[in-house]
Structure formats: structure tokens, C-alpha cells
Amino acid sequence: MPKKVDHEARRQEISEALWRIAGTRGLDGASLRDVAAEAGISLGRLQHYFRTKDEMLAFALQHINRLANQRIRARIEALEGEPTPRQVLRACLSGMLPLDPESRTGTLVGAAYFHRAVHDETLRAEAKDGIPKLRAFFADQLRRAEERGELPPGRATEDEAMLLISLADGLSTYVLLDVHGPEQAMRLMDLQLANLFDRKETDPDH
Amino acid sequence: MPKKVDHEARRQEISEALWRIAGTRGLDGASLRDVAAEAGISLGRLQHYFRTKDEMLAFALQHINRLANQRIRARIEALEGEPTPRQVLRACLSGMLPLDPESRTGTLVGAAYFHRAVHDETLRAEAKDGIPKLRAFFADQLRRAEERGELPPGRATEDEAMLLISLADGLSTYVLLDVHGPEQAMRLMDLQLANLFDRKETDPDH
């Protein structure tokens, strides 16, 4: 097996050990040594791949984002015919919520990453970069919906896009805390979409 | 000075050391020993007050919730005349967002607590208990608004209340990550309130 592939497989194994810790006892206070032990390798060997916890979290987060993108793409492809912008948005938002064990672990690793990013500008750069891109994509879907006459006028804005994204984040937190279950989180997301797509100003002169 | 007061003052000092760490390098991986060092006392002395990091976080969270309640009450009292339900909701929601250094630190300590609560049922109980109470209070304000003819019919629901609460949580996360500033978070919160109060079904037969 070529060396490069071997390295990637090893990084993957370490990532999986990290996910198991994220899913069980949590990443708060988990050290590189803990992850090495979970992966069944020495600390020195782990540090050959990841020098710091931040490097390891960044790698795990990228992988989790890839999985989320695959999940979202699969949901969109599963739709009958040409999906509407509303269906595309709903598929993205459902892919952002912890609705199954895989996405739950993804949310936990993401939360651990963001928790450190608050105090680290380098880590924060990734979060700051990713969310505006997502917002632009969402706003674009809203504009497509408006053009198709499927969204009341004046609502295809970056702010409405940001409300959807921020809401997905808040709903996810409460799923992890058992305040509500995955189905209720999705139901609340659908309510937000219905409020966006199916309502207009009560007073047009307002 | 009576002993009881002395104990509370000491707990308070320890809490403040915890907040300083939360506000600067973050609580991920911060040990009881780190907090003792920051408070300028021995680990043994700190453990006289808090046996575990979880006990300490729970105390800090309670204190922060008291501060948030004071902030919200002050905002409501600052309103001219009898506040409308919408004004009460807006005051609560603005008190939940990290709009100044005090509430920012509160959000950080809360995030550290919730991060551990995901993996600990005892800690989770507090979160699970608090949010439904807040939701019930919000739903009650929505019902008052509907009775006063200030909210379109059919929107005084627990689900609409939960959307507001979840959104405050998501918007807070993005303030901490510098995705948007405090003013933008409040502007987005106001958009959600306007969508709730100023819009009706596009099709009443829908």
C-alpha cells in the first residue's frame, strides 16, 4: 500500500477514536494522550499525525463537514423530479440537525471545535469563513424561490438566510441537551420555513 | 463578619476567577487547580467550596442566571408606561444575547456548562428544567398579545415561543465566533419578532 494512503487511513482511525470520545464522555478536557489510548497507539505516534488537539479537531471537523455534505446531497437526490428551492433549503437544514447518531457525533465535535475557536483566532477563521458562504447559498435559494413566485416579495434576504442557519444551530444544541427530540427540532425548522414561505406582511403600508 | 457571609464571599471570588478564565483562554480543559491559581488560593481551599468542576460550573451558572434576570428586569423597568407583551419578549431576548462583556462571559460559562451537560444527566436536568419554563413564559406573553389584538391569530403557540428561544441560542453562538456582531444579532432577533407579529398566512384556506 502506498505510504500516502496508509497515512490517511491512520488519520482516519485517530479521527474515529476522537468521535467515540465525543459521543460518550465528551471532548471537554480530553487530551491527545486520551485519544491515543482510545485509538490504541502511543502518544508519540499520534503526534506524528496531529501535533495539537486543535489540529486534530480541525481534521475531524473537515471530515464531518464532508459527511454532512454527502448526507445533504443524498437527501436532495432522493427528491422526486427537479427539487424546488424550498426543498433544497429543507434538505440542507435537516442535514445540519443532529437527527441520527452520525450527525449527532458531528454536532458534538463541531461544538468542541467552536468552543475552542471562541478563544483562538486561527480556529475561528474557519467558522467565520464557512458561515457567510452558507448564508450566500441560502440567500441564493431564496432569490430563486422569489423568481419562481414561491416566496412572498421582499423576503429573499441574507438576514432571512441567517435566521435559518442560526435557528439550526440553536435547535441542535437543544437536541443534544434532550430539551426536545430530533423530530421536534425538525418540526420547529419546518414551522420557520412555513412562516417564511407562506406568510406576508399584515399591513402592506407598514 | 458572620461565617456564612464569609463563605459566600469566597464562593463569589472563586466564581469570578472562573469567569476571568472563561473570558480569556476558555474553560475547555481548565482544571480546579487552574481556577485555584487564578483565585490565588490553594487547591485544597477551593475544594472546601467546590468538590468538582461541575459543582463550580453549576454555581457560576446560577449566579449568571441571576445577573441575566436582573438585566432583563432593568430593561423592562426602563420601558415607558405599561410594557406590551412584545416589549417584554424583546427585553427577555436581548437579555439572552451576549450584547456586552458581562453577558458575553455569561454565555461562555453557560456554553461550558452545556458542553458537559450533554454527557451528564444530572447537569442536563437543570437545562431541561429551565427551558420549558422559559418557553411557557414566552407562550404566555404571546397569548396576552393575541388577546390584545397585537398578534395575528393562531401564532400564540409553544412552538413559536421555542423558535424565539432557540434562535437566541444560535445567534449567541455566532456572536462568540465573530460571525456577526452584537448589533447584527439583535437586528436578526428583531426580524424574527417582526415576522411573528406583523405577518399573516398568505392564503387563509391553506
Side-chain angles (χ1 to χ4, degrees):
Chain A
M1 194 184 279
K3 255 195 165 166
K4 190 169 173 260
V5 173
D6 195 37
H7 276 319
E8 277 174 17
R10 183 51 62 93
R11 275 176 197 270
Q12 200 45 52
E13 277 168 38
I14 296 170
S15 249
E16 281 163 17
L18 182 76
W19 299 343
R20 285 195 296 277
I21 295 176
T24 52
R25 66 179 199 265
L27 289 169
D28 180 54
S31 64
L32 284 182
R33 193 179 294 278
D34 297 328
V35 178
E38 177 71 32
I41 59 174
S42 71
L43 177 60
R45 192 144 182 81
L46 182 137
Q47 285 177 315
H48 181 68
Y49 296 95
F50 302 109
R51 277 169 307 162
T52 64
K53 188 172 170 180
D54 289 342
E55 272 187 21
M56 194 168 58
L57 280 174
F59 178 81
L61 191 69
Q62 280 160 17
H63 184 72
I64 277 162
N65 285 340
R66 272 195 300 274
L67 289 178
N69 285 338
Q70 285 169 16
R71 256 194 329 267
I72 290 167
R73 198 160 297 141
R75 278 170 200 264
I76 291 174
E77 281 166 7
L79 295 168
E80 300 277 322
E82 183 75 22
T84 64
R86 182 172 177 168
Q87 285 174 322
V88 171
L89 285 171
R90 188 177 191 273
C92 291
L93 290 163
S94 68
M96 290 162 70
L97 294 175
L99 302 181
D100 59 35
E102 182 189 282
S103 53
R104 184 183 171 88
T105 304
T107 307
L108 286 168
V109 175
Y113 180 90
F114 292 142
H115 205 55
R116 293 170 78 91
V118 168
H119 303 282
D120 183 309
E121 201 160 343
T122 313
L123 294 181
R124 211 158 58 226
E126 187 132 350
K128 286 175 73 170
D129 187 47
I131 293 172
K133 278 184 196 160
L134 189 61
R135 183 181 58 201
F137 175 76
F138 274 35
D140 198 49
Q141 295 299 317
L142 292 177
R143 275 188 294 272
R144 278 187 55 219
E146 194 179 34
E147 282 163 19
R148 293 158 59 110
E150 293 163 2
L151 185 75
R155 306 203 72 182
T157 64
E158 300 258 326
D159 280 358
E160 289 289 354
M162 200 61 206
L163 285 184
L164 292 171
I165 295 166
S166 305
L167 185 63
D169 192 287
L171 290 173
S172 295
T173 302
Y174 293 143
V175 171
L176 297 182
L177 289 173
D178 275 345
V179 170
H180 50 222
E183 304 75 19
Q184 199 189 342
M186 196 61 227
R187 190 163 55 72
L188 289 166
M189 201 75 243
D190 278 329
L191 174 60
Q192 182 79 5
L193 283 171
N195 286 344
L196 177 57
F197 278 85
D198 303 333
R199 292 180 192 274
K200 64 177 181 190
E201 298 276 349
T202 45
D203 175 11
D205 302 319
H206 182 69
Chain B
M1 196 185 276
K3 256 197 167 167
K4 190 170 172 261
V5 173
D6 196 37
H7 277 319
E8 276 174 17
R10 184 50 62 94
R11 276 178 195 270
Q12 200 46 52
E13 277 169 38
I14 296 169
S15 249
E16 281 162 17
L18 182 75
W19 298 343
R20 284 195 297 276
I21 296 176
T24 51
R25 67 179 197 264
L27 289 168
D28 179 55
S31 64
L32 285 182
R33 194 179 294 278
D34 295 329
V35 179
E38 176 70 32
I41 59 173
S42 71
L43 177 60
R45 191 144 182 82
L46 182 137
Q47 285 177 316
H48 181 68
Y49 296 95
F50 302 109
R51 276 169 307 162
T52 64
K53 187 171 171 180
D54 289 342
E55 272 187 20
M56 195 168 57
L57 280 174
F59 178 81
L61 191 69
Q62 280 160 19
H63 184 72
I64 277 162
N65 286 339
R66 272 196 299 275
L67 289 178
N69 284 338
Q70 285 169 15
R71 255 195 329 266
I72 291 167
R73 195 159 301 140
R75 278 170 201 263
I76 293 175
E77 281 167 7
L79 295 167
E80 299 277 320
E82 182 76 22
T84 65
R86 182 172 178 168
Q87 286 175 320
V88 171
L89 285 171
R90 188 177 191 274
C92 291
L93 290 163
S94 67
M96 291 162 71
L97 294 175
L99 302 181
D100 58 35
E102 182 190 281
S103 53
R104 184 183 172 90
T105 304
T107 307
L108 286 169
V109 175
Y113 180 89
F114 292 142
H115 205 54
R116 294 170 78 89
V118 169
H119 303 281
D120 183 308
E121 200 159 345
T122 313
L123 294 182
R124 210 156 58 228
E126 187 133 348
K128 288 175 71 170
D129 188 47
I131 293 172
K133 277 184 198 161
L134 190 61
R135 182 179 59 202
F137 174 76
F138 274 35
D140 198 50
Q141 295 300 317
L142 292 177
R143 275 188 293 273
R144 278 186 56 219
E146 192 179 34
E147 283 164 17
R148 293 159 59 111
E150 292 164 1
L151 184 76
R155 307 204 70 181
T157 65
E158 300 259 325
D159 280 358
E160 290 289 357
M162 200 61 206
L163 285 184
L164 292 171
I165 296 166
S166 305
L167 185 64
D169 192 288
L171 290 174
S172 295
T173 302
Y174 293 142
V175 171
L176 297 183
L177 288 173
D178 276 344
V179 170
H180 50 222
E183 304 75 20
Q184 198 188 344
M186 196 61 227
R187 191 163 54 74
L188 290 166
M189 201 74 244
D190 278 329
L191 174 59
Q192 181 80 4
L193 283 171
N195 286 343
L196 177 57
F197 278 85
D198 303 333
R199 292 182 193 273
K200 64 177 182 190
E201 298 277 349
T202 42
D203 174 11
D205 302 318
H206 182 70

